[in-house]
Amino acid sequence: MVGVSFPKRNKMMTSPNSLAVENLSVSYPDSKEPALQKVTLNVAASSILSIVGASGSGKSTLLRALCGLESPASGTIKLGGQVLCSSAKFVRPDRRKIGLVSQSGDLFPHLNVFQNLGYGLTNWRRADRKTRCKELLEAIGLPNFEKRFPHELSGGEKQRIALARALAPRPPLLLLDEPFSNLDSNLRQSLRRLTADILRKEKTTTIFVTHHPEDALSTGDSIAVMDSGTIIQCDTPRNLWRNPVSPVAASLFDQINQLPSSNFPNWLRANELELVEESHGGFTSGIIHEIEFFGKTQMVYVKIQNNLTPVIVEVASEEKYQIGSPISIKRKRLKAIQSKRLSTEHKQGICF
């Protein structure tokens, strides 16, 4: 796995909003394997770390451990140099002052928008509380919504209010647990951009868990990929996209193909392949089994001998192919297809 430091570790540790997790492990009584296995990561102050992984990879368990809802079997959690969890210390969730936004937002249904936003500001002066709520409503594009109740809001409006409520007390760390997953595509894109803009203006250190690759790539300053309770890769979005450490990491961001063992590399993305007539050569041949049309592009599924699953090739929508036709597959000449994609040595379990 690639270890990336932004900024250097010693500078991060002096910041009040930096997060340091070292060798964190969490186990459940009814599970044979740990939910988290020696996870180590460092998140720079005011930066956004996206976390991606398949269901059951440990993403939600990590968030629960960070906010104090899980008691780790071992490891340490430090926020701004303050120990939140270690073998000798455990800070209660309500004393960690960490913000959390879930998929559903979890607004209080009996409180209006202003009361929801001010829920975590009970120790603030009334005038300051009013000013803070007003500036957040303007930031999320919902001015004059103070007196509305949650049942009067749309799904996107509820998530914006939930984000503003979590940011209201200026937490040193904000956890976003797939906050856009229940929204349609267009609304998710606009809310994603709005959220990233607000987080950077507020300079809030953030961990953003998502299963949407475009959300992770466009929002995070860095991305951690989780698999089986460990971090298998951590890097900047561009580096991770160009050089994923394994097919598992690559498959979380795009459609990939496992190729016959005689080919190198042994996997390629669907858009790194092209279809040619059998007479024009190619590294393998097969029969077109299925075609999926998506408007701008289409996916052509080619069954080849000795391969358990079809090879998927992304082609332009104007190209015409027939199911049942013989076809050959070639690799495109792309800079992204590099041998170092598979040959780079990586440190496992560490994310800087």
Side-chain angles (χ1 to χ4, degrees):
M1 184 188 123
V2 174
V4 179
S5 177
F6 22 83
K8 293 182 180 179
R9 182 183 178 92
N10 60 347
K11 293 184 179 180
M12 291 174 58
M13 298 302 290
T14 61
S15 171
N17 293 346
S18 62
L19 174 70
V21 178
E22 187 171 356
N23 292 325
L24 191 70
S25 296
V26 174
S27 297
Y28 295 120
D30 299 330
S31 178
K32 295 181 180 179
E33 299 293 332
L36 294 179
Q37 302 184 58
K38 296 184 177 181
V39 169
T40 294
L41 62 87
N42 290 278
V43 185
S46 306
S47 69
I48 303 173
L49 171 68
S50 297
I51 298 182
V52 296
S55 297
S57 61
K59 305 186 302 296
S60 295
T61 300
L62 177 57
L63 290 194
R64 289 174 61 82
L66 291 174
C67 62
L69 298 178
E70 296 289 350
S71 297
S74 61
T76 60
I77 301 173
K78 294 181 182 180
L79 184 57
Q82 178 190 1
V83 177
L84 301 182
C85 176
S86 69
S87 58
K89 183 177 181 180
F90 184 85
V91 177
R92 287 177 4 199
D94 59 312
R95 294 185 177 179
R96 298 192 180 194
K97 299 180 180 180
I98 294 175
L100 174 65
V101 180
S102 66
Q103 295 181 25
S104 57
D106 297 328
L107 297 178
F108 299 116
H110 61 292
L111 301 180
N112 64 28
V113 166
F114 181 84
Q115 292 167 330
N116 265 283
L117 292 181
Y119 185 81
L121 306 178
T122 53
N123 294 328
W124 290 41
R125 292 189 304 173
R126 181 178 297 180
D128 293 338
R129 185 163 63 245
K130 185 176 181 180
T131 299
R132 179 61 171 160
C133 292
K134 183 179 180 180
E135 71 180 16
L136 284 170
L137 284 174
E138 290 178 353
I140 62 175
L142 297 176
N144 305 318
F145 270 59
E146 295 96 330
K147 296 182 179 180
R148 297 198 188 187
F149 283 84
H151 70 272
E152 300 175 301
L153 304 174
S154 67
E157 290 167 347
K158 288 179 181 178
Q159 285 305 92
R160 280 188 273 176
I161 297 297
L163 173 65
R165 183 181 65 177
L167 288 171
R170 295 192 174 94
L173 176 66
L174 179 64
L175 308 178
L176 302 178
D177 190 6
E178 303 192 17
F180 314 138
S181 62
N182 294 331
L183 306 177
D184 63 63
S185 178
N186 289 335
L187 182 56
R188 195 181 79 244
Q189 291 178 25
S190 62
L191 189 53
R192 177 184 71 215
R193 294 194 298 271
L194 175 67
T195 299
D197 183 56
I198 293 174
L199 292 175
R200 290 191 167 91
K201 286 180 179 178
E202 291 277 322
K203 297 182 179 180
T204 304
T205 306
T206 304
I207 292 184
F208 174 34
V209 167
T210 179
H211 63 272
H212 291 288
E214 60 271 24
D215 289 350
L217 290 166
S218 63
T219 304
D221 298 302
S222 55
I223 301 176
V225 179
M226 296 196 69
D227 183 45
S228 301
T230 64
I231 295 176
I232 62 171
Q233 186 170 7
C234 186
D235 212 327
T236 62
R238 291 181 186 275
N239 285 343
L240 194 148
W241 172 263
R242 290 167 180 163
N243 297 296
V245 70
S246 68
V248 171
S251 66
L252 293 171
F253 298 93
D254 202 6
Q255 182 73 59
I256 71 163
N257 295 287
Q258 295 285 147
L259 303 177
S261 58
S262 58
N263 290 279
F264 183 82
N266 63 1
W267 67 269
L268 288 169
R269 296 187 178 99
N271 66 350
E272 294 173 339
L273 299 171
E274 60 182 334
L275 299 175
V276 296
E277 295 181 8
E278 284 190 301
S279 59
H280 293 172
F283 67 85
T284 191
S285 299
I287 303 295
I288 296 177
H289 174 67
E290 184 181 351
I291 300 173
E292 286 185 311
F293 182 75
F294 295 111
K296 292 182 179 180
T297 62
Q298 53 187 331
M299 295 292 186
V300 179
Y301 293 72
V302 181
K303 274 194 171 182
I304 61 176
Q305 193 173 7
N306 300 324
N307 218 47
L308 295 177
T309 59
V311 173
I312 307 172
V313 183
E314 181 180 312
V315 300
S317 59
E318 60 269 17
E319 296 185 28
K320 295 183 179 181
Y321 297 97
Q322 294 291 329
I323 294 176
S325 300
I327 203 78
S328 288
I329 303 173
K330 282 182 67 175
R331 288 200 298 267
K332 291 181 180 177
R333 293 183 178 274
L334 297 175
K335 292 181 180 179
I337 306 176
Q338 301 172 358
S339 60
K340 77 173 187 176
R341 174 187 281 175
L342 299 178
S343 63
T344 303
E345 293 183 2
H346 299 278
K347 298 177 182 178
Q348 292 189 346
I350 301 176
C351 181
F352 291 106

